[in-house]
Amino acid sequence: MNPLQTLRFAVAGLAANKVRSALTMLGVLIGVAAVILLLAVGNGSSQAVKDSIEKLGTNSLTVTSGSGFGSESSATTVKPLTVDDAKALADPKQAPDVESVAPEVTTSQTAIYQGTSHTVSQVVGTYPAYFEASNSKVAKGDYFSDDDVLNSRKVAVIGSTTATDVFGTVNPVGKQMVLGGTPFTVVGVLQTKGGTGFQDPDDVVIAPLPTVQNAFTGFGSLNQILVEAKSSSATTAAQNEITTVLMGQHDITDPTALDFQVSNQASLLTTQASTNQTFTVLLGAVAAISLLVGGIGITNIMLVTVAERTREIGIRKAIGAPKGVILGQFLAESTLLSLIGGGLGVAVGLLGSRFKIVGITPVVIPESVVGAFAIAVAIGLFFGSYPAKRAASLRPIEALRHE
Amino acid sequence: MIGSLRQRRRGADADANAMPDPDSLGGQGPWGPPPVIEVRALRKVYGHGEAAVHALKGPDDPEGGEPLGVELTVEQGDFVAVMGSSGSGKSTLMNILGCLDVPTHGRYLLDGIDVGGLDEHQLSLVRNRKIGFVFQSFNLIPRTPALDQVELPLAYAGVKSAERRRRAEAALTLVGLGDRMDHRPNELSGGQQQRVAVARALVTAPAMLLADEPTGNLDSHSTEEVLAIIDRLNASGRTVVLITHEDEVARHAKRVLRLVDGRVVDDVRQAPVDGPPPALRDPAAFAAAPGGGR
Ligand SMILES: Nc1ncnc2c1ncn2[C@@H]1O[C@H](COP(=O)(O)OP(=O)(O)OP(=O)(O)O)[C@@H](O)[C@H]1O
Ligand SMILES: [Mg+2]
């Protein structure tokens, strides 16, 4: 009995009951595809967070006004952040670990260009250091310069969403748009950052601080100060220096009564990433359950099949089939079923992961493909061959009398 | 494999009977060929203790011990009909003869080989090459065309595909189903299914055909067709053992055994072992005899 003959028997066996074979295969397929897809979605979302951490830059710190949510600070009066505070932070003698400082005011304005109007969710007035600290790079044109800031020029660097929404297909560099009634000349367009949050980080206009203060916010307080540390390992030192400097600036002596907050964006996102980790683990559990259910499905069908086919095994034994040949046939049948089902499952899983699922681009984990396939095939093989082995060990007459 | 069995059997016989010349065995010796079937003190008990059913037991021991078991010898070329009421142990005996079941006590020698000493794989070879078994309930493999059914024993015997097809077609033609080769069991009548089963049993050219009520589910016309095939097989030298409840069927046999309660109570010879079975000896007289016509 050669392997080819055994294979031919197996194919004939599968073809003899097409519905049963198709259902078994479907069970394997769904199990495998579900595991691959669910894990890819989980992985995709944590990958997205990781990417946005990298986009932010790991050495940037944000100083915001107020005691902050949930802090035990007992500050009674809150002094707003000012340009003077920013200037103090930029002093290398007081804060040697600080690389650059960018004071920020933020507002929202409507931009108009040749009749097209678009509300820009974030209009930022700041210094050129902002670009470096916030990891914003221009794709077209250039950044504005310190000179532009000193002279309060009406120039702006805009995000890619703003560029397409306001200018359409026109190259915005050198064009003039009207922002909240004030004409601004676009000098640069930022690279697309992409993002996962509610706010589109690419819908932004960045202009020199005094220009924005003059036109929209007035020369009062800042919304926040973006500080870049010398290196990612220096962020903690820089954070302490900032605290000390600002305590001096705001005449605070009690370190528990601060009226400002220094936060590390990267650490915020790390928390988010760990939340995501939990999410992935959860999805993994769901995937494992679906594989289990798929496995039980295969097992069930195989068991029913063998019960149904025990008589057939008896007949085959009665006409002289050696036990090995019978086992070979059943093993080949279940191998074929689980290989084809598993293969189709991998195909469906990979195909499905090319589409965005609930706003997440799935990223397939290669191990999950190999693992899900291997487990499905192993379950198919075990439960295909074990009951067959039991049936083939019976005396022919026992198998024939089986009901 | 069968060759090595033969080898083994010679060795065993030489040991048991202290034969001086093993070469005198194997069929050409002065004692003639060994009987195809030799059953010694055969007993079959189902279950244990109170609930035990003695399906085969043979005569009671005069000294009051265990029953002595069934003794039976069937010569090469014989045609034996086994009769008896329901539950008398006919199928039990037949299943043991067909190596489908094992006896509780006693020995079964097939062509001189003690079947009890064979392992699983050797048994499958014996079932495949030496025995053709026909069941009352046909026992065809579901959803499989007739030709494939008949090819199956040959496939298990390792016969090449083309040769297999040729022999399966010849066997199906022999049973008159040359035009039904691609039909599945559910597309065949009962008589046709039984003829497929007969073709499957004889396709490997086994020395022995065992049939458990082969005509039990068939009408008189199909019965005659199947019996005609069996008669011809016996005439060509095959040993046939069949179980039946009908005297018309038993008339075809050369020897009729009657079982009651697991014992052989009657053993009648209707025709000599050598020569054709009664139906082919004098067809005209056979058809004219009482119970022969339809
Ligand atoms: N697997 C089994 N387990 C228990 N008892 C059995 C089994 N098979 C047969 N028997 C019993 O053994 C006895 C003989 O059964 P067997 O099948 O040999 O009868 P039979 O002569 O073939 O009858 P029939 O003409 O009805 O086919 C019966 O009493 C039956 O109940
Ligand atoms: Mg019976």
Side-chain angles (χ1 to χ4, degrees), chain B residues 31-97:
Chain B
W31 294 277
V36 185
I37 293 170
E38 198 177 347
V39 164
R40 295 276 161 260
L42 195 74
R43 286 195 281 137
K44 178 75 184 177
V45 184
Y46 292 110
H48 301 279
E50 292 281 291
V53 175
H54 291 260
L56 282 179
K57 54 186 175 190
D60 287 329
D61 184 359
E63 267 130 60
E66 297 266 288
L68 295 175
V70 173
E71 305 277 331
L72 177 68
T73 305
V74 176
E75 296 299 329
Q76 175 93 53
D78 209 348
F79 184 167
V80 182
V82 180
M83 299 189 75
S85 58
S86 185
S88 56
K90 305 182 296 293
S91 296
T92 304
L93 175 66
M94 197 63 123
N95 292 336
I96 292 170
L97 295 184

Side-chain angles (χ1 to χ4, degrees), chain A residues 205-277:
Chain A
V205 171
I206 302 161
L209 178 69
T211 319
V212 176
Q213 284 179 322
N214 192 22
F216 311 119
T217 63
F219 291 90
S221 59
L222 300 173
N223 289 75
Q224 61 175 27
I225 303 172
L226 194 59
V227 179
E228 195 185 11
K230 283 235 152 56
S231 69
S232 54
S233 54
T235 46
T236 318
Q239 200 163 348
N240 291 336
E241 289 161 14
I242 293 166
T243 310
T244 314
V245 169
L246 289 184
M247 276 168 73
Q249 285 280 329
H250 292 191
D251 299 325
I252 298 166
T253 46
D254 181 5
T256 61
L258 301 179
D259 63 354
F260 60 90
Q261 234 190 340
V262 186
S263 61
N264 183 339
Q265 295 263 4
S267 75
L268 271 179
L269 278 166
T270 313
T271 326
Q272 201 182 333
S274 70
T275 317
N276 250 287
Q277 195 71 40

Side-chain angles (χ1 to χ4, degrees), chain A residues 1 5 8-9 16-17 308 311-312 315-323 325 329 395-397 400-401, chain B residues 44 46 95 99-102 120-121 124 127-128 135 139-143 152-153 155-156 158 161 164 200:
Chain A
M1 204 70 169
Q5 181 60 46
R8 217 176 288 158
F9 273 172
N17 200 331
E308 190 182 299
R311 266 179 61 83
E312 182 188 327
I315 300 171
R316 288 177 185 271
K317 288 198 80 169
I319 59 175
K323 191 171 154 184
V325 175
Q329 180 191 337
R395 261 176 265 143
I397 201 70
L400 279 170
R401 289 224 182 98
Chain B
K44 178 75 184 177
Y46 292 110
N95 292 336
C99 296
L100 304 181
D101 207 351
V102 290
E120 169 79 31
H121 190 252
S124 73
R127 287 181 204 123
N128 187 242
F135 299 89
N139 275 343
L140 296 179
I141 293 176
R143 293 178 285 263
L152 211 52
Y156 290 135
S161 169
R164 219 157 61 202
R200 185 177 70 186

Side-chain angles (χ1 to χ4, degrees), chain A residues 140-211:
Chain A
K140 278 183 232 158
D142 205 351
Y143 308 99
F144 57 79
S145 62
D146 287 331
D147 197 42
D148 293 326
V149 176
L150 288 174
N151 295 305
S152 299
R153 289 203 186 102
K154 291 175 179 120
V155 291
V157 174
I158 62 177
S160 58
T161 304
T162 316
T164 43
D165 284 0
V166 177
F167 291 93
T169 52
V170 179
N171 182 2
V173 178
K175 302 280 183 315
Q176 210 171 52
M177 64 176 181
V178 178
L179 191 65
T182 311
F184 277 79
T185 307
V186 176
V187 292
V189 178
L190 293 175
Q191 284 176 3
T192 304
K193 283 186 173 180
T196 48
F198 295 108
Q199 202 171 35
D200 182 356
D202 296 315
D203 187 18
V204 67
V205 171
I206 302 161
L209 178 69
T211 319

